[in-house]
């Protein structure tokens, strides 16, 4: 195995594992001062040179002074079925190496490495021992990439991760949120993130002395000032996994399932109540200021309005309707009740109607950032929703600093992470799925708790209603599948069909109609909202037909083509079906693209319904230029499509034979 040989020979005291196909190799050594270090090679080239590991704790500095006790390795080959997802079957093949270390102080620490063909991961583990608590002040984990590559990232204090991802050389970046996506100089890609974040602060990243380093989200004091403490851990405990996808191209990067594989298997025995759903909602009207959340003359969530939405959903094959502003508390956004509706909302009537129609109600629990109050009534709130046949709730934490049971804290600090986990685990007891807004960045919990279906953590469609800077640039959505969505499903809320905006002069959706359709395929979410008002959908019934038909649960997904920040084309096969859906979305630069249909079965016949930009479509001058074409296609065909500036396309391919 030549790759392994190179690494091993570069350090006489190193120990190493190679990935199952031998192309990726992770080596470990202790430096002379007993500092744990690792390095990584792929295809015979060094990608990450010797990088430090360890934890600086208040009780002991665990970044040096270690001796190696022993090493174990094992091979794992597994496959598992997702409850929902971009793919039904996921395989997990890797080699694992655990180095058992003993610190001069007597503390024992293991570092577990995994080598996959498309990346690697490591974590720290503390087993039962004399020391019972550790206060982590800093994590020393580094990623010493061998060149100053360009990376896509968000600054670490970006509120709710709602920012425009920026690309720049790593050396020019300030502290960044995890994840980041790196364009390697040789044409490959690296995705740096974490997995299985359970009782630990979220990772952030910064560059110092040529190394990408970990900055854990800190605890705050009673005045909301940053403390030196990052995590309080009871021994035994494992840290989250630190993971890096190393892909030769974007197609391989988006197909990587390392993050999910690093999370424990599903903890919910009966998952039959967890259903991917497409939904509409009483929502966009509030962001466009034609409705209000609070009760009054323009109140959105009234019984009458909700009945209209439920009936519209029934008629148009939409599974559910979200209602925001149904509950008391919107006057001050502080004292929300999760069990008391406003007087113009008849919960019993609407709950009966929803069951009669077979259209679900999606509940809404905005907390205004008061996580502690929410936690104190969680069981009551979920029992109330369950009793009214509600199986999904959109939660929200609008406040840059949230109030947890530990006082004012950053939502991605350890206390916030614990809160979100309690919500998801409690919701499971009541058969409730969660669509979490203002979340901590996803790290793959959805494998263990598949009732955590979607999350925001993105500068979503709502910014196109009121953003002072005019709305999301066209390129924004072409970055998300390669950055934010690599961390998990996103509640972006596609599907605006009326582009003029009376709320903020100069603000509008930077998109054509066909682009909005393409988003349903490109921006993955098992709870996928069609966000516009029914009356706007009825102005373009032909285009709306695609929304009625597109599923949100998939057998298989693949990137057909794309470039970060320029365009992307995804193809997805419907779960339990033979039909395919292909979506394309574009930045400001109009372009022609080719879509080979070689994902189709060679022995089957298909009909394609193609919704695309007209030749004169343009997000600024003609956003509604969209046509539908029908054509018989086979796997040997290639479609050639024009994507306008801010444009796109959406294709339904029905298997006929
Ligand atoms: C922010 C969320 O992103 C948005 O979807 C919601 O309407 C408001 N908070 C109110 O909860």
């Amino acid at each position: 195995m030549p790759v392994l040989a190179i690494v091993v020979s570069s350090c006489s005291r190193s120990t190493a594992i190679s990935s199952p196909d031998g192309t990726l190799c992770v080596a470990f050594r202790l430096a002379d001062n007993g500092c744990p270090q690792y390095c990584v090679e792929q295809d015979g080239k060094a990608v990450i040179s010797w990088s430090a590991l360890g934890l600086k704790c208040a009780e002991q500095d665990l970044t040096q002074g270690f001796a190696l006790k022993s090493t174990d390795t094992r091979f794992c080959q597994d496959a598992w079925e997702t409850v929902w997802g971009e793919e039904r079957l996921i395989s997990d093949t890797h080699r694992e190496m655990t180095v058992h270390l003993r610190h001069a102080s007597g503390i024992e620490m293991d570092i577990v490495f995994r080598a996959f063909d498309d990346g690697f991961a490591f974590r720290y583990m503390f087993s039962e021992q004399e020391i019972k608590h550790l206060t982590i002040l800093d994590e020393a984990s580094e990623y010493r990439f061998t060149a100053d590559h360009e990376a896509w990232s968000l600054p670490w204090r970006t509120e709710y991760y709602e920012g425009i991802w920026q690309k720049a050389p790593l050396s020019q970046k300030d502290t960044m949120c995890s994840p980041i996506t790196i364009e390697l100089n040789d044409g490959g890609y690296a995705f740096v993130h974490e997995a299985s974040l359970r009782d630990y602060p979220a990772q952030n990243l910064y560059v110092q002395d040529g190394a990408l380093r970990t900055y854990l989200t800190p605890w705050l004091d009673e005045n909301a000032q940053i403390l030196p403490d990052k995590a309080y851990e009871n021994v035994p405990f494992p840290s989250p996994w630190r993971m890096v996808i190393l892909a030769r191209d974007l197609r391989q990067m988006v197909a990587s399932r390392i993050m999910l594989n690093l999370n424990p298997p599903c903890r919910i025995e009966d998952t039959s109540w967890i259903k991917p759903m497409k939904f509409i909602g009483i929502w966009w009207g509030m962001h466009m200021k034609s409705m209000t959340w609070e009760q009054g003359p323009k109140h959105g969530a009234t019984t009458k309005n909700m009945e209209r939405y439920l009936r519209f959903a029934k008629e148009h094959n939409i599974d559910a309707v979200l209602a925001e502003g149904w509950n008391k508390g919107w006057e001050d956004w502080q004292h929300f009740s999760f069990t008391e509706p406003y007087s113009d909302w008849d919960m019993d009537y609407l709950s009966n109607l929803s069951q009669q129609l077979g259209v679900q109600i999606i509940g809404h629990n905005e907390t205004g950032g008061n996580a502690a109050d929410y936690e104190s009534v969680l069981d009551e709130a979920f029992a109330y929703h369950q009793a009214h046949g509600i199986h999904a709730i959109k939660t929200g934490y609008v406040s840059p600093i949230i109030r947890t049971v530990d006082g004012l804290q950053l939502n991605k600090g350890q206390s916030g992470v614990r809160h979100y986990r309690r919500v998801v685990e409690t919701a499971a007891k009541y058969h409730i799925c969660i669509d979490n807004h203002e979340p901590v960045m996803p790290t793959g919990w959805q494998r263990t708790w598949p009732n955590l279906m979607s999350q925001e953590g993105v500068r979503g469609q709502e910014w196109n209603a009121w953003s002072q800077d005019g709305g999301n640039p066209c390129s924004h959505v072409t970055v998300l599948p390669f950055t934010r969505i690599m961390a998990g499903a996103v509640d972006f809320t596609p599907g605006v069909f009326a582009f003029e905006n009376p709320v903020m002069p100069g603000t509008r959706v930077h998109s054509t109609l066909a682009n909005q359709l393409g988003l349903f395929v490109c921006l993955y979410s098992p709870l996928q909202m069609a966000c516009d008002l029914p009356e706007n959908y009825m102005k373009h019934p032909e285009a709306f037909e695609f929304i009625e038909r597109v599923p949100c649960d998939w057998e298989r997904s693949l990137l057909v083509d794309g470039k970060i920040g320029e365009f992307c084309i995804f193809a997805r096969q419907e779960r339990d079906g033979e039909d395919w859906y292909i979506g394309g979305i574009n930045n400001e630069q109009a372009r022609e693209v080719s879509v080979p249909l070689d994902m189709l079965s060679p022995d089957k016949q298909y009909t394609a319904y193609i919704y695309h930009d007209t030749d004169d479509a343009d997000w600024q001058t003609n956003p509604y230029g969209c046509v539908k074409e029908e054509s018989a296609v086979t796997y040997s065909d290639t479609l050639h499509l024009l994507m306008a500036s801010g444009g796109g396309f959406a294709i339904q391919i029905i298997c006929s034979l």
Side-chain angles (χ1 to χ4, degrees):
M1 217 170 274
V3 175
L4 193 62
I6 293 166
V7 173
V8 173
S9 64
S10 71
C11 175
S12 54
R13 283 191 295 147
S14 78
T15 157
I17 42 167
S18 60
S19 68
D21 72 2
T23 56
L24 191 142
C25 176
V26 183
F28 172 82
R29 74 176 182 189
L30 282 175
D32 290 341
N33 62 354
C35 165
Q37 295 180 339
Y38 77 100
C39 70
V40 179
E41 289 190 1
Q42 192 179 33
D43 299 330
K45 282 183 290 184
V47 184
I48 292 181
S49 59
W50 290 111
S51 302
L53 296 166
L55 299 169
K56 195 163 178 208
C57 299
E59 296 76 7
Q60 200 54 248
D61 180 2
L62 300 178
T63 61
Q64 51 180 302
F66 281 102
L68 181 61
K69 272 175 48 193
S70 60
T71 307
D72 304 325
T73 56
R74 72 183 186 106
F75 179 74
C76 160
Q77 189 156 28
D78 190 17
W80 55 281
E81 191 166 337
T82 56
V83 177
W84 46 262
E86 294 183 90
E87 224 159 23
R88 175 198 293 283
L89 285 176
I90 292 187
S91 64
D92 177 5
T93 311
H94 63 260
R95 268 209 184 82
E96 185 178 280
M97 168 172 74
T98 304
V99 293
H100 302 281
L101 303 174
R102 177 190 282 271
H103 189 256
S105 63
I107 296 176
E108 309 220 320
M109 178 175 88
D110 293 346
I111 308 178
V112 186
F113 295 91
R114 285 190 184 171
F116 300 84
D117 293 337
D118 55 355
F120 69 93
F122 60 85
R123 80 184 328 179
Y124 305 98
M125 296 199 61
F126 291 83
S127 51
E128 187 90 50
Q129 53 189 291
E130 206 174 297
I131 191 156
K132 297 294 170 227
H133 307 282
L134 284 172
T135 301
I136 299 172
L137 302 176
D138 271 311
E139 186 180 314
S141 310
E142 282 182 352
Y143 312 84
R144 210 169 261 283
F145 282 90
T146 47
D148 185 21
H149 308 288
E150 295 211 290
W152 291 88
S153 65
L154 293 172
W156 86 281
R157 287 296 290 261
T158 306
E159 276 176 16
Y160 326 121
Y161 309 99
E162 297 186 16
I164 302 290
W165 293 72
Q166 302 290 351
K167 175 173 145 173
L170 277 168
S171 58
Q172 288 170 28
K173 297 270 187 183
D174 287 331
T175 308
M176 301 164 268
C177 293
S178 182
I180 64 171
T181 299
I182 302 177
E183 298 192 359
L184 300 171
N185 293 348
D186 67 357
Y189 293 86
F191 177 75
V192 183
H193 194 32
E194 59 185 328
S196 196
L197 174 65
R198 297 192 71 248
D199 188 3
Y200 205 81
Q203 156 180 271
N204 305 280
L205 298 155
Y206 69 104
V207 177
Q208 198 181 46
D209 301 332
L212 187 62
R213 295 196 161 145
T214 309
Y215 172 64
L216 299 177
T217 305
W219 280 83
L220 303 185
D221 67 13
E222 57 282 5
N223 301 315
Q225 298 304 305
I226 287 178
L227 284 170
D229 303 2
K230 307 295 189 322
Y232 304 119
E233 300 292 345
N234 292 326
V235 180
F237 77 94
S239 76
W241 288 96
R242 306 295 169 219
M243 56 159 277
V244 180
I245 294 172
L246 288 171
R248 294 163 189 95
D249 56 31
L250 281 180
R251 204 175 288 192
Q252 195 190 12
M253 185 181 83
V254 303
S256 174
R257 302 293 172 234
I258 290 182
M259 186 188 70
L260 289 176
N261 282 333
L262 290 169
N263 276 271
C266 182
R267 292 270 302 272
I268 302 173
E269 226 163 87
D270 170 18
T271 56
S272 59
W273 51 275
I274 302 175
K275 300 250 185 281
M277 294 190 291
K278 229 169 3 181
F279 65 102
I280 54 170
I282 298 176
W283 180 77
W284 186 239
M286 278 86 94
H287 288 273
M288 295 291 276
K289 302 227 188 308
S290 61
M291 296 175 183
T292 60
W293 279 283
E294 68 278 9
Q295 197 167 15
K298 293 200 290 177
H299 190 204
T302 63
T303 307
K304 195 167 158 223
N305 222 1
M306 187 61 173
E307 174 156 359
R308 183 167 69 89
Y309 272 67
L310 285 167
R311 293 193 186 282
F312 178 87
K314 171 77 186 167
E315 247 174 75
H316 295 278
N317 191 33
I318 305 285
D319 309 297
V321 180
L322 162 78
E324 294 196 4
W326 65 275
N327 56 328
K328 292 182 183 167
W330 289 90
E331 291 69 23
D332 63 3
W333 283 63
Q334 300 260 325
H335 303 97
F336 289 101
S337 165
F338 307 106
T339 50
E340 289 171 284
Y342 280 125
S343 60
D344 53 356
W345 175 273
D346 187 337
M347 187 58 117
D348 290 334
Y349 174 76
L350 289 167
S351 149
N352 285 334
L353 181 66
S354 106
Q355 280 162 51
Q356 210 180 300
L357 295 172
V359 175
Q360 294 216 20
I361 295 176
I362 298 187
H364 185 235
N365 290 180
E366 172 60 58
T367 66
N370 199 337
D373 273 11
Y374 189 41
E375 240 175 80
S376 69
V377 296
L378 215 46
D379 282 281
E380 215 183 302
F382 290 159
Y384 173 82
H385 285 80
Q386 188 187 33
H388 289 93
I390 296 174
H391 290 298
I393 298 180
K394 171 175 168 179
T395 49
Y397 298 84
V398 176
S399 179
I401 294 183
I402 62 173
R403 183 177 296 281
T404 71
V405 290
D406 302 298
L408 292 177
Q409 296 296 336
L410 295 171
N411 75 340
K412 58 177 172 170
Q414 185 176 20
S415 184
V417 169
R418 286 174 177 163
H419 168 75
Y420 293 121
R421 206 185 75 222
R422 270 179 216 130
V423 171
V424 172
E425 295 183 8
T426 310
K429 288 199 285 180
Y430 295 89
H431 287 194
I432 283 174
C433 295
I434 297 293
D435 171 7
N436 186 24
H437 278 229
E438 296 82 31
V440 62
M441 185 58 70
T443 61
W445 284 358
Q446 63 269 31
R447 176 175 181 192
T448 316
W449 298 99
N451 64 317
L452 174 58
M453 295 195 82
S454 196
Q455 308 210 60
E456 192 183 34
V458 74
R459 189 173 143 134
Q461 183 86 273
E462 65 194 27
W463 285 73
N464 295 326
W466 39 251
S467 173
Q468 305 252 354
D469 59 15
N472 300 330
C474 304
S475 55
H476 180 56
V477 287
T478 70
V479 177
L480 298 179
F482 307 113
T483 52
R484 162 63 184 81
I485 304 174
M486 290 289 300
V490 74
D491 191 21
F492 180 85
T493 68
V496 169
F497 270 31
F499 300 113
E500 297 71 32
N501 189 336
V503 176
M504 183 72 67
T507 296
R508 61 175 295 169
V509 185
H510 295 208
S511 161
T512 67
L513 208 54
N515 176 290
Q516 288 295 309
L517 300 183
L519 295 175
F520 280 84
V521 184
C522 292
L523 306 187
Y524 169 66
S525 181
L527 285 179
Q528 188 70 286
M529 183 180 202
C531 73
D532 213 334
L533 313 174
E535 47 273 36
N536 289 336
Y537 286 137
M538 285 307 86
K539 288 179 198 151
H540 303 280
E542 189 173 81
F544 187 58
E545 202 180 83
F546 182 79
I547 298 180
E548 291 178 8
R549 294 176 178 181
V550 65
C552 52
D553 195 21
W554 307 103
E555 188 70 32
R556 222 147 60 87
S557 294
L558 56 100
L559 177 73
V560 175
D561 201 358
K563 194 153 195 309
I564 310 179
E566 296 188 16
F567 74 102
C568 64
I569 303 169
F570 278 87
R572 303 189 195 269
Q573 186 182 17
E574 176 182 26
R575 195 168 279 211
D576 297 321
E578 293 287 346
D579 299 351
W580 282 83
Y581 292 78
I582 306 179
I585 50 177
N586 193 23
N587 69 359
E588 294 72 8
Q589 187 65 51
R591 76 188 70 230
E592 212 181 296
V593 290
S594 301
V595 183
L597 298 182
D598 52 3
M599 71 289 284
L600 304 180
S601 292
D603 53 350
K604 296 210 160 82
Q605 308 280 315
Y606 297 87
T607 306
Y609 298 95
I610 308 166
Y611 305 77
H612 64 88
D613 293 321
T614 53
D615 289 350
D616 57 352
D618 179 295
W619 76 270
Q620 294 186 81
T621 56
N622 184 18
Y624 300 105
C626 178
V627 282
K628 177 185 169 192
E629 279 180 65
E630 183 180 331
S631 124
V633 293
T634 69
Y635 84 105
S636 59
D637 288 325
T638 295
L639 302 175
H640 300 280
L641 293 153
L642 180 76
M643 295 204 280
S645 169
F649 61 84
I651 310 173
Q652 180 189 25
I653 303 181
I654 295 182
C655 180
S656 39
L657 275 183

